Amino acid sequence: MNTVVVGMQWGDEGKGKIIDFLCRNNDIIVRFQGGNNAGHTVILNGKKIVFHLIPSGLLHKGKICAIGNGVVIDPKVLIEEINALKKEGIEVSPNNLKISLFSHIIMPYHHIMDGLREKKRIQKIGTTMRGIGPCYSDKASRCGIRTIDLINPEIFALKLKDNLAEKNEIFEKIYGLRAFTFNDIYKEYNGYAEILKPYVCELIDFFYKLRDKKFLFEGAQGTFLDIDFGTYPFVTSSSTVSSNAILGSGLSFIKSNGIVGVAKAYTTRVGEGPFPTELDKTLGGYFQSKGKEFGATTGRPRRCGWLDLVLLKRAKILNNINKIILTKLDILDDLEEIKMCTVYKQGEKLLKEFPVDLSKAIPVYETMKGWRKKTENIRKYKDLPVEAKKYIEKIEKYLDCEIRYISVGEMRDAIIKH
Ligand code: GDP
Ligand code: IMO
Ligand code: MG
C-alpha cells in the first residue's frame, strides 16, 4: 500500500508526528514539495526534533528517505539538519537519504528578495522569509539553480554569474542595496556542494528498481496554502495537494492507493489571509497556549479557531482523501462547549457552494458539549469519553470519510486506532 499524506488545513496539522507513525509500515518516504518553510515535529525520547527538509521517516532504521524534485533546498539548512540528526545518534548517510538532482537550490538573494517583497507589499502574505517564493519563481523563469547545477562547479559558476548580473541590478537600482559578490557566494555554495554531493541521486531510476517497496509521500504545508486551490495570494509557492506527489517526485510508476488527510481537531493558521472560524484573543489565546501553537519554523504565534467542516470537506475533495487522521484532540479536553462550523453565510444567505473568496464567508456553528476529561493517556477508542466520540463521529458523518486514527498527545505513542 502506497500512501500520500497531506495537511487538510493551513499547515501544522501534526503531519510530522503522523508520518513518523505511519512510516513504520513503509520502506521509502518522499518529500515532494515545499522547502524549509515546513517544520514537522516529532518527540523522540522526550526531545523535540523538528524536520524542515528531511522526511521524519529517517528516525526509523532501514528506511530510505528522499527529497524530491518538487522541493526547494536551502543547502545550509539541510546540512545543519543532517548534522543535528547525527548528533542525536540518528544515521544519516547517502544510503538512507537521497536528494533529487532536479530539486532547486535556495540562494542568498532569494532570502533577501522574500523579505524585500514582503516589506513593499501593502497586502502582506506573512511568508516564512525562507526564500521559498523567489526560488520557485526562478524555477518557473528558467533561471533557477538545480542541485545538479550546484554540484558541477563550472555550470554553477555560469548560472550564478547570469543570475547575479540580473539580480544585482534589481537590488542596487530598485532597492538601493549593495550588490552580491560572486566570489563570496561561489565559495560558500561550493562548500555546501562538496558535502551534499554524495547524497545526490537520480531518483527515477533508483526507485524504479525498488518499485515493489512501500512508498509514503510526505506533504508539507496544507491544502489551503496550495498555490492554485488555497486562499491565493495568501498561500505558499508550491502545490500542496496530493496530486502533486507524483509530479514532485517523478515516481509515476508508484500507484498510491491511500490518501491520508491530517486534520487538527481545531484550526490554526500562521501568516496573513482569511480564516473564517478564527477566534479572538481570549479563546484563541487559550488554544495557543494549551496547544503550544507557535510556529515550528519561525516561532510566530499561530492564529487559532474552531474546527471548520466546510473547509475540511473541500480538502477531502481536492485531495481525494479516503482516510483522515485527527490530531490534537486532547487540546479540547477542558472545554465546556465545542463549536464546529458546518456551513458558511454571506450576508443572510447560506452558501451552498465553497466560496471563491473565503474572506467573505461567515461561519455558522453547531455547538456540542465538551467532555472535560483528560484523553492524553487513553489508547483505546472505546475508552474515550462519550462526547469525544460524538465529536469524532460527527466529523466522519459530515465528511463521509473514516477517521482512522486519533492523536491525543505529542508523544509518539499517544494515538488511538478507530
Ligand atoms: P506539522 O507541520 O503538520 O508537522 O505540525 P507541527 O510539527 O508544525 O505542529 C504540530 C505540533 O503539535 C507539534 O508541536 C507536535 O509535537 C504537536 N502535536 C502533534 N500531534 C499532537 C497531539 O495529538 N496532541 C498534542 N497536544 N500535540 C500534538
Ligand atoms: P508545515 O509543513 C504553516 C505559510 C506562511 C505564510 C505562507 C507563505 O510545517 O505545515 P512561504 O514562506 O511558504 O512563502 O509562506 O505559508 N506556511 C506555513 N504555515 N505550516 C507550514 O508548513 C507553512 N509553510 C508555509 O506562514 O502564511
Ligand atoms: Mg509545521
Side-chain angles (χ1 to χ4, degrees):
M1 167 108 165
N2 300 304
T3 311
V4 181
V5 178
V6 288
M8 292 180 77
Q9 291 146 328
W10 278 287
D12 303 327
E13 296 88 350
K15 298 176 294 294
K17 174 182 165 167
I18 298 309
I19 284 152
D20 170 64
F21 172 72
L22 293 175
C23 75
R24 290 151 214 247
N25 301 321
N26 289 275
D27 308 302
I28 294 156
I29 302 99
V30 187
R31 261 286 295 272
F32 56 91
Q33 46 74 228
N36 61 308
N37 47 351
H40 297 175
T41 316
V42 181
I43 309 290
L44 180 72
N45 307 324
K47 199 165 175 192
K48 189 171 170 172
I49 299 196
V50 182
F51 291 88
H52 298 290
L53 284 157
I54 299 175
S56 53
L58 211 84
L59 295 180
H60 298 259
K61 276 208 170 85
K63 312 284 173 191
I64 301 177
C65 289
I67 299 176
N69 54 281
V71 177
V72 288
I73 297 176
D74 186 327
K76 184 169 183 261
V77 174
L78 180 54
I79 292 165
E80 280 168 6
E81 199 168 323
I82 292 172
N83 290 338
L85 287 168
K86 281 184 178 169
K87 229 174 123 189
E88 292 300 320
I90 296 150
E91 191 211 331
V92 192
S93 75
N95 293 329
N96 67 349
L97 178 64
K98 309 276 173 194
I99 305 169
S100 164
L101 37 82
F102 298 132
S103 52
H104 277 245
I105 298 293
I106 297 182
M107 302 296 294
Y109 44 81
H110 291 140
H111 283 266
I112 308 285
M113 187 53 85
D114 202 357
L116 290 172
R117 276 192 189 147
E118 191 67 4
K119 217 166 156 188
K120 282 227 162 185
R121 277 183 196 114
I122 299 172
Q123 207 180 31
K124 310 252 181 256
I125 294 172
T127 76
T128 59
M129 306 274 193
R130 298 300 190 261
I132 307 295
C135 184
Y136 277 116
S137 303
D138 276 1
K139 175 179 178 176
S141 303
R142 293 156 294 171
C143 61
I145 295 176
R146 301 167 303 169
T147 299
I148 184 144
D149 306 324
L150 176 73
I151 61 172
N152 181 326
E154 285 86 50
I155 294 179
F156 179 56
L158 253 167
K159 296 206 170 193
L160 181 59
K161 267 185 198 142
D162 251 359
N163 268 289
L164 289 184
E166 184 207 12
K167 281 164 178 110
N168 275 342
E169 282 215 26
I170 300 175
F171 283 116
E172 284 179 306
K173 293 188 181 151
I174 299 183
Y175 293 104
L177 293 177
R178 267 181 49 202
F180 284 97
T181 320
F182 171 85
N183 283 338
D184 291 351
I185 302 183
Y186 186 70
K187 204 169 146 222
E188 181 188 346
Y189 274 65
N190 259 335
Y192 300 147
E194 278 306 305
I195 300 169
L196 293 178
K197 205 171 175 176
Y199 296 90
V200 179
C201 176
E202 208 292 308
L203 294 185
I204 320 297
D205 285 347
F206 181 79
F207 285 130
Y208 188 71
K209 293 186 195 106
L210 300 176
R211 63 190 178 282
D212 294 330
K213 300 270 181 202
K214 286 185 194 154
F215 285 73
L216 182 69
F217 294 88
E218 170 174 345
Q221 288 80 55
T223 303
F224 296 94
L225 288 172
D226 182 273
I227 181 97
D228 290 291
F229 306 110
T231 46
Y232 192 91
F234 307 100
V235 293
T236 190
S237 296
S238 64
S239 299
T240 62
V241 289
S242 62
S243 45
N244 191 33
I246 298 305
L247 259 182
S249 65
L251 308 180
S252 45
F253 42 86
I254 302 300
K255 295 275 170 280
S256 76
N257 34 18
I259 298 175
V260 172
V262 183
K264 209 178 268 189
Y266 49 101
T267 314
T268 63
R269 169 162 211 174
V270 209
E272 304 303 319
F275 180 176
T277 62
E278 183 170 15
L279 287 162
D280 64 13
K281 282 214 164 58
T282 322
L283 198 48
Y286 173 82
F287 279 118
Q288 216 174 64
S289 62
K290 180 136 204 240
K292 298 185 197 151
E293 294 297 355
F294 295 88
T297 298
T298 59
R300 288 179 295 172
R302 296 173 181 151
R303 298 154 65 192
C304 298
W306 293 118
L307 188 72
D308 187 338
L309 290 175
V310 184
L311 209 69
L312 291 187
K313 187 147 210 172
R314 176 78 168 175
K316 183 203 151 186
I317 296 166
L318 278 170
N319 294 289
N320 197 26
I321 285 164
N322 50 14
K323 279 175 207 80
I324 292 173
I325 299 185
L326 192 70
T327 60
K328 302 191 98 160
L329 187 79
D330 54 303
I331 304 305
L332 307 180
D333 282 356
D334 298 331
L335 296 172
E336 223 155 284
E337 280 187 338
I338 301 171
K339 290 187 181 183
M340 44 168 76
C341 167
T342 51
V343 66
Y344 294 145
K345 259 191 341 189
Q346 200 172 324
E348 281 313 299
K349 245 175 71 191
L350 291 180
L351 296 182
K352 290 207 174 72
E353 266 143 36
F354 192 81
V356 178
D357 180 3
L358 212 55
S359 70
K360 297 201 174 69
I362 301 161
V364 179
Y365 292 110
E366 272 186 33
T367 305
M368 299 181 76
K369 211 170 140 231
W371 43 93
R372 312 205 67 187
K373 267 190 206 114
K374 207 166 139 82
T375 55
E376 198 186 343
N377 299 320
I378 296 173
R379 295 291 174 268
K380 288 203 169 83
Y381 189 78
K382 68 171 178 53
D383 297 334
L384 277 172
V386 179
E387 293 83 359
K389 283 193 260 193
K390 271 193 189 156
Y391 188 69
I392 293 160
E393 283 154 28
K394 170 97 189 160
I395 302 168
E396 279 190 316
K397 196 163 171 227
Y398 185 99
L399 299 177
D400 188 23
C401 187
E402 71 168 305
I403 294 180
R404 179 57 72 88
Y405 290 99
I406 301 115
S407 173
V408 288
E410 59 184 6
M411 303 312 278
R412 279 171 125 184
D413 67 335
I415 194 154
I416 301 171
K417 191 167 189 300
H418 182 198

